Amino acid sequence: QVLTDLTPTSCGTNGGEGCLAPEYAASDLTDEKGSYTLTDVKTSYSNLLPSVTLNMSLTDDLMLRLAASESLTRPQLEDMAPKFRPQLMHVDGNTADGNNAELTPYTSINLDASLEWYFDEGAMASLALFSKKIDDYVVQVTEKDVIVKTITSPEYQKFDVFKPGNAEDVTVTGMSFNLTQTFDSGLGYQFNYTMVDTDTDFDGHTFDPTAPSMPGLSDSMNLVGFYENEGFSARIAYNQRDEFLSDTNYQNGKVWGDERGEAVMTQDYFQVDARIGYDINDNFNVFIEGMNLTEETLNKTGRFDNIFISHDNFGRRFIIGVAAKF
């Protein structure tokens, strides 16, 4: 549909004044006021994505690994679709949601280094460092005073349009420590701790949806104990993750007030899972698996803890089954 005009109207049950009602042309893009021309928008890009890996045995039980690469992530097709959706229409100003056909992919220069120590048979300790410099990351931007020429009333043609756009650079750094060991008795353990940092840390007090805050970044830890011997196996795992930014643009964010794009935070979460199995023979294994044994819940809030978004109670779950291989 083509937006052809905005006319003053009442503001419904709010009792205010200054609201505008939209008028649309027929869906065939032609009406009694004239015809409209479709405009094609084309974007092209080419990128060279080099990658190099180097593995060096420093001693018989010490391995150094180095890697450098460049990677590319294309924008979501939905973000590039030429759409314009009017939102607030008022004599004091109009707003709309839109997409951006001129989005470019964002690229990342990745540097990785790890040192691995094989200190015993079936045992390894490693320390890994990584850095990612991300260019043109996609965020929400506001384009001011966009003129919608199909609107016949010139005083109502301007819109502030919220849409995806390419942002400035973002740098992500971190380290990961891993420790694994298996004993002759069949007992063993695995431990992993990962720390992540970025130069654009999210701050709820000064949150700007146009800033390139990276969702999904937080420290995490995993601890697994296991036993395998003579067909019997048992495993218990503890997984923990710190609070992290899930989304910078919660679609229903306006329920918290006039702010658009309320951020979504996933609170600290941990889970304990376990599995016990027995090999009946070379082909069949029976097992029982328990998930979320301590019945933890997953909570999501806005930028502050008192802005409730969701509370997920998955409960304790068990699976009893038979696995076959031939």
Side-chain angles (χ1 to χ4, degrees), residues 89-124:
M89 289 170 284
H90 195 275
V91 294
D92 293 334
N94 302 317
T95 64
D97 289 334
N99 293 339
N100 187 352
E102 297 180 347
L103 282 178
T104 60
Y106 58 91
T107 58
S108 174
I109 297 177
N110 314 299
L111 301 176
D112 300 271
S114 67
L115 185 64
E116 301 172 359
W117 177 35
Y118 298 87
F119 58 90
D120 201 353
E121 184 176 354
M124 181 195 72

Side-chain angles (χ1 to χ4, degrees), residues 220-273:
S220 62
M221 184 186 72
N222 307 286
L223 179 61
V224 178
F226 59 87
Y227 175 78
E228 294 183 7
N229 195 15
E230 297 184 356
F232 178 81
S233 63
R235 179 180 183 273
I236 185 168
Y238 171 85
N239 304 293
Q240 184 267 331
R241 187 173 184 182
D242 290 348
E243 179 188 48
F244 64 94
L245 175 67
S246 305
D247 194 345
T248 59
N249 187 26
Y250 180 46
Q251 296 300 316
N252 295 330
K254 283 195 260 186
V255 300
W256 314 125
D258 295 331
E259 295 292 335
R260 294 182 56 83
E262 179 66 44
V264 180
M265 304 295 298
T266 297
Q267 300 300 306
D268 296 355
Y269 179 77
F270 75 89
Q271 181 169 313
V272 178
D273 304 323

Side-chain angles (χ1 to χ4, degrees), residues 252-306:
N252 295 330
K254 283 195 260 186
V255 300
W256 314 125
D258 295 331
E259 295 292 335
R260 294 182 56 83
E262 179 66 44
V264 180
M265 304 295 298
T266 297
Q267 300 300 306
D268 296 355
Y269 179 77
F270 75 89
Q271 181 169 313
V272 178
D273 304 323
R275 188 181 192 276
I276 297 175
Y278 181 73
D279 294 331
I280 300 175
N281 52 41
D282 292 339
N283 302 109
F284 292 94
N285 172 274
V286 294
F287 66 89
I288 178 171
E289 185 171 345
M291 292 166 283
N292 194 24
L293 297 179
T294 55
E295 298 188 285
E296 302 304 318
T297 59
L298 182 65
N299 300 296
K300 294 184 178 182
T301 67
R303 70 190 74 181
F304 303 116
D305 292 346
N306 61 348

Side-chain angles (χ1 to χ4, degrees), residues 29 59 61 69 77 115 164 175 198 236 269 276 282 301 314 326:
L29 303 184
T59 66
D61 53 13
S69 65
L77 288 177
L115 185 64
M175 60 82 64
T198 174
I236 185 168
Y269 179 77
I276 297 175
D282 292 339
T301 67
F314 306 107
F326 300 96

Side-chain angles (χ1 to χ4, degrees), residues 12-27:
T13 57
N14 295 330
E17 297 180 354
C19 292
L20 299 173
E23 295 182 6
Y24 294 97
S27 59

